[in-house]
Amino acid sequence: ETSFTSAIFDYSNENSNICNNNTNAFLSNFRPNILLSAEEITWPIIDLIDPINNAVNVSVTPTFVWNCTTSEYPYHIQVSANPDFSELIINEIVDVETYESSIELDSTTQYWWRVGIEDDGYYIWSDIWTFTTEPASLQINLNTGWNTISSNVVPESPEMPEVFSGISSNTILVKNGLGEIYSPVFGINNIGNWDISDGYLVYMNSSTSLNIFGTNVIPENTPINLVSGWNLVSYLRAAPMDAALAFSNILPYLVLAKNNNGYIFSPQYGLNNIGNLLTGQGYWLYMSAPAVLVYPSN
């Protein structure tokens, strides 16, 4: 109780607009009693485990592992192409503290990931960690003598001496479709850098393998310009494909395709000794007119 008027109040059991009507207001020298109560809330803590923060050379199909102080909630895992999570690559709900990606991430690419749970309408998120995926790789088997090769992996270091550095002692000559050459034996490099659109003739003094590390190309986004006459081109898909399908968008202008073994594909005469085009091999194309080759997607 106070010695002055310390409250004005109104009440009604039926009038829903009582707060807009003060005609029946009452005065009082009793302050209203207000009771506040609270209970301690222990928020779950989510600790990310793997891939560790700033990890490199992470698999393009990583397994994500975390730990939480409670397991009563489903987990929300997000993987993004940027740190503000506006470009989600993975956005899944799981009931266990691990997630194996079914989506193949891009090689040599940085990603960000986090795990969250929903509690009483609030989202609780872990810290944000980042990782970088491993480079793509391609192994090309080379026989003694001439080989016609190509790559669907853009080399990290595209200079020809760098590409062939691991097998330079076995490599006699590399030649592109224009007749430019690279020879580690004679220290000649007219080619300069590896061109992802080109096929190459490689002469070896012994059998070995060429390993190329870098970034996978997207075939449908990598057009190859062709001139009239002969072209030595790459095969950019990650899996074999029948020559007729692979060259479908240039069939009206394609006279002949030839592989390293001399097998041919001729749409005009209905011949296909090549069968499937193979990753790692290069192909000679004879064109009746200029065109742009675009391979189907993987």
Side-chain angles (χ1 to χ4, degrees):
E1 184 178 5
T2 65
S3 59
F4 53 89
T5 300
S6 53
I8 181 171
F9 67 94
D10 205 344
Y11 65 91
S12 171
N13 291 331
E14 299 177 357
N15 185 0
S16 60
N17 296 315
I18 189 65
C19 292
N20 298 322
N21 179 4
N22 63 356
T23 57
N24 297 319
F26 297 90
L27 302 178
S28 173
N29 62 342
F30 282 89
R31 286 196 180 101
N33 291 324
I34 300 175
L35 176 65
L36 301 178
S37 62
E39 60 179 299
E40 182 181 1
I41 298 176
T42 302
W43 296 103
I45 299 174
I46 307 169
D47 293 318
L48 304 184
I49 297 176
D50 193 57
I52 64 173
N53 197 24
N54 297 310
V56 296
N57 294 323
V58 174
S59 169
V60 293
T61 54
T63 297
F64 299 92
V65 182
W66 60 93
N67 181 62
C68 186
T69 55
T70 180
S71 59
E72 62 179 294
Y73 309 99
Y75 301 104
H76 192 169
I77 178 170
Q78 293 184 335
V79 179
S80 175
N82 47 37
D84 63 3
F85 288 82
S86 60
E87 189 177 342
L88 292 178
I89 309 299
I90 295 173
N91 188 28
E92 297 289 342
I93 303 294
V94 296
D95 293 324
V96 292
E97 297 176 342
T98 182
Y99 176 78
E100 185 173 348
S101 175
S102 60
I103 298 174
E104 183 171 314
L105 304 177
D106 292 335
S107 57
T108 323
T109 303
Q110 185 176 14
Y111 293 95
W112 289 261
W113 72 292
R114 65 181 179 180
V115 176
I117 58 175
E118 185 177 4
D119 186 9
D120 292 333
Y122 294 95
Y123 252 105
I124 304 165
W125 290 103
S126 67
D127 292 336
I128 296 172
W129 280 10
T130 184
F131 64 92
T132 302
T133 51
E134 63 189 350
S137 63
L138 174 67
Q139 179 176 296
I140 304 173
N141 295 323
L142 300 171
N143 299 316
T144 302
W146 286 108
N147 302 262
T148 309
I149 70 170
S150 71
S151 173
N152 67 337
V153 173
V154 180
E156 288 180 311
S157 300
E159 302 85 0
M160 296 303 280
E162 289 294 325
V163 173
F164 287 90
S165 61
I167 59 170
S168 58
S169 61
N170 308 105
T171 306
I172 305 301
L173 189 69
V174 181
K175 186 167 62 170
N176 64 13
L178 299 176
E180 299 169 326
I181 67 170
Y182 162 65
S183 174
V185 176
F186 298 102
I188 300 172
N189 184 14
N190 301 138
I191 295 177
N193 293 346
W194 185 285
D195 190 329
I196 198 65
S197 299
D198 288 348
Y200 293 94
L201 293 171
V202 181
Y203 191 84
M204 306 295 296
N205 63 13
S206 63
S207 298
T208 187
S209 295
L210 172 63
N211 295 301
I212 298 179
F213 298 92
T215 306
N216 284 320
V217 299
I218 301 175
E220 65 272 26
N221 293 343
T222 312
I224 301 175
N225 295 317
L226 305 173
V227 299
S228 297
W230 286 107
N231 302 259
L232 180 55
V233 302
S234 59
Y235 177 59
L236 299 179
R237 299 187 75 253
M241 174 175 274
D242 182 79
L245 292 175
F247 296 134
S248 59
N249 82 301
I250 59 167
L251 290 181
Y253 314 103
L254 178 61
V255 179
L256 191 69
K258 186 170 63 171
N259 70 3
N260 185 65
N261 296 319
Y263 297 139
I264 65 170
F265 165 64
S266 175
Q268 296 181 5
Y269 295 100
L271 297 175
N272 185 8
N273 296 325
I274 292 178
N276 287 338
L277 303 190
L278 303 177
T279 305
Q281 290 195 9
Y283 294 88
W284 285 102
L285 306 182
Y286 190 85
M287 306 294 296
S288 62
V292 178
L293 170 62
V294 178
Y295 287 109
S297 65
N298 288 323

